[in-house]
Amino acid sequence: QVQLVEPGGGLVQPGGSLRLSCAVSGSIFSIYSMGWYRQAPGKPREYVAHISSGGSTDYRDSVKGRFTISRDSAKNTVYLQMNNLKPEDTAVYYCCELGSGSWGQGTQVTVSS
């Protein structure tokens, strides 16, 4: 069974920073692309960022220049560094191993004063 565990969520003020982590077990982590998605209440889940097994990255336009996705193969972990957070970033964030279609449990990120 592939499992993805996501610590790192929380409450942050606008303009603040937060780093999300996603630890993967039960798969050959290094060969799969990883993605981050988010879902706000009453809205569909949306794509945030992607990183390939080779390290190439991609971001949705609204987070470019603010978010950075990275991976550490030695730790079987993918990260999402979020800077200059805005209230509209408030959502439950999910990591996904795209090759297997396995999802993490989600972690709440709230950006508010």
Side-chain angles (χ1 to χ4, degrees):
Q1 182 180 356
V2 178
Q3 294 185 333
L4 293 79
V5 179
E6 303 176 35
L11 175 65
V12 63
Q13 293 184 333
S17 297
L18 198 64
R19 188 170 81 156
L20 305 182
S21 300
C22 177
V24 182
S25 63
S27 73
I28 308 173
F29 174 81
S30 62
I31 71 171
Y32 288 118
S33 295
M34 298 290 298
W36 285 98
Y37 294 74
R38 65 188 182 187
Q39 187 170 22
K43 296 184 178 181
R45 188 173 298 184
E46 66 182 17
Y47 164 79
V48 176
H50 168 273
I51 185 166
S52 74
S53 60
S56 61
T57 59
D58 181 76
Y59 304 89
R60 71 178 296 110
D61 287 344
S62 63
V63 309
K64 287 180 179 177
R66 300 189 298 120
F67 290 12
T68 302
I69 187 171
S70 61
R71 64 193 298 158
D72 186 338
S73 294
K75 298 181 179 179
N76 287 2
T77 301
V78 64
Y79 303 94
L80 186 68
Q81 177 67 47
M82 303 183 291
N83 298 325
N84 192 24
L85 282 160
K86 303 175 180 180
E88 52 263 43
D89 296 318
T90 296
V92 176
Y93 284 70
Y94 300 88
C95 63
C96 180
E97 186 182 75
L98 296 169
S100 67
S102 300
W103 292 87
Q105 82 282 357
T107 186
Q108 178 70 48
V109 173
T110 302
V111 185
S112 176
S113 298

